[in-house]
Amino acid sequence: MKSSRLERLRRIRVSLPGRTLGKPAEPRVEAVDFKGAEDMPYAVRLAASWAWRFLIIVAALGVLVWALSKVSLLVIPVLVAALLSGLLSPVVNALNRKLAVPRGLAVGITLIGFLALVIAGLSLAGQRLSAGFTALWTQALFGIEQVQGWLFNGPLKLTNDDLQGVLDDAIVQLRGNATNILSEAISWTSFIGQFLTGTLLALFVLIFLLLDGRKIGLFLVNLLPRRARPAMDGALTRGWASLVSYVRVQMLVAFIDAIGIGFGAFFLGVPLAMPLGVLVFLGSFIPVVGALITGALAVLLALVANGWVNALIMLAVVLLVQQAESNILQPLIMGKAVSLHPLAVVLAVAGGSMLAGIPGALFAVPLLAVLNAVVKYLSGRAWERDEFVLAHYGIHPSQEQLAKTSAPPAPAAPEPQTSPDDRQPETTANEE
C-alpha cells in the first residue's frame, strides 16, 4: 500500500514558478524613470528658485530706475505736484464740501493763496538776506585782513612775492580749464531752463490733480481687470491718505525745526536768523540730509560773525533741536502717521540719495510710505471690509466677512445631533 503511494508521488511533476529548464529564477526589477528624478537636495533647489526670481525682480527694478532717469524732467515735476497736492487737497475739499464753493473756484483760491504765501516769504527772506550780507561782508573783510596778517606775521612768514606766485598759478589754472568752466556755465544755464520748465509742468499737473484727482485715479484703476479693480482702488486710496498724512506731519516737523534753530540764532546774535529759519524749513523736507546741511550752515554763520564760542553754542542748539526731532517728534508723530520705523526712514533716504541724488532723498520716504500702505492693504485683504469700496462697487459682503467685522455672538444652545443625510445644504457648505 505504501509502495503504491510512493510510486504515485514520484510520477507527479511539480513546476516551481520562475524556474525554466533547471535555471535559477531572476529577480524582477521595476523600471525607474531616471529623467524625472531630482538629484539635488531640496534646500539647493529651493535656494535656486528664490535666487532666479530675486534676480529677475532686481533686473526689473534696475530697468525701471534707468527708464525713469531718462525722463527725470517729466517724473520729478509730477512727484513734486503729488506732494503739493497732498498738502493742498484738504484745503480744497474743505472749501468745496463745507463752504459749498465750486471745485474749480476752490482750486483757484487755494493755488493763489499758496503762491502768494510762498512769494511773500521768499521776498521777505531775500530782503533780510541782502541787508544781512552787507554787515556780514564787512565782517568777512575784517576776517580776511586777520588771515593776511597771520600769513605775513605768523609762523609761515610769507611775503608779497609768495602771494603773487600763488595768484599767478591760480590764473594759469583758470586759463587751462577755461573750456571746462565754459561747459559748466552752459550746463548751469541749461539747468536753469530745465528748472523753469519743470516748475511750470509741476504747476500744470498740480492744477489737474486738485481738480480731477479722483477721476485720474479711477482712469488708472479701470485699466486693470474687473476683478482687481476694487482691491486696487482701495489700495490707492489708502496710499494717498498715507501721502497726505506724511506731508502734514513733515510740515509740522519742518516748522518746529525752523522755529527752534531760527530763535536760537536770533538770541545768540547770529546774523541772517530769519533767512536761516526759512532755509531750515525748506531743508527739513529732505529727511536727515537737509537737517545736517542747514545746521552746518547755521554753525558756519555763527563762526564767521561771532567767533568760535558762539559757534559752539549754536552747534549745541542745532544738536538739541535735531535730537528732539529724531527722538521725540519722528517716533511720536511721523511713526504713527505713516507707520515707518526710523531705521527704514534713514535707509530709504540713503538709498534714494545714492540712486538719484537730492530728488531721491526727497521722494524716498513718501514713496516708501505709500508703498507700505498699499502692501498692507492688499496683504490684509482690507477691501473686503472697506465700506467705501463695497459701496462704490456695489459689493455685498458675505456672511464670513460680516462675521469677521462684527462682534462674536453669544454662545447658543447646542443643537440636536442629526445624521449627515438630515443636514441642510447651507450647513454642509459652511462646514466644508
Side-chain angles (χ1 to χ4, degrees), residues 168-193:
D168 293 339
D169 294 337
I171 293 173
V172 170
Q173 292 293 330
L174 288 176
R175 290 176 179 175
N177 297 324
T179 305
N180 296 330
I181 295 173
L182 181 60
S183 62
E184 289 292 333
I186 293 174
S187 65
W188 273 100
T189 305
S190 63
F191 172 76
I192 293 174

Side-chain angles (χ1 to χ4, degrees), residues 47-65:
S49 299
W50 276 97
W52 69 261
R53 288 179 173 87
F54 177 75
L55 290 177
I56 290 178
I57 293 173
V58 171
L61 291 177
V63 172
L64 179 62
V65 172

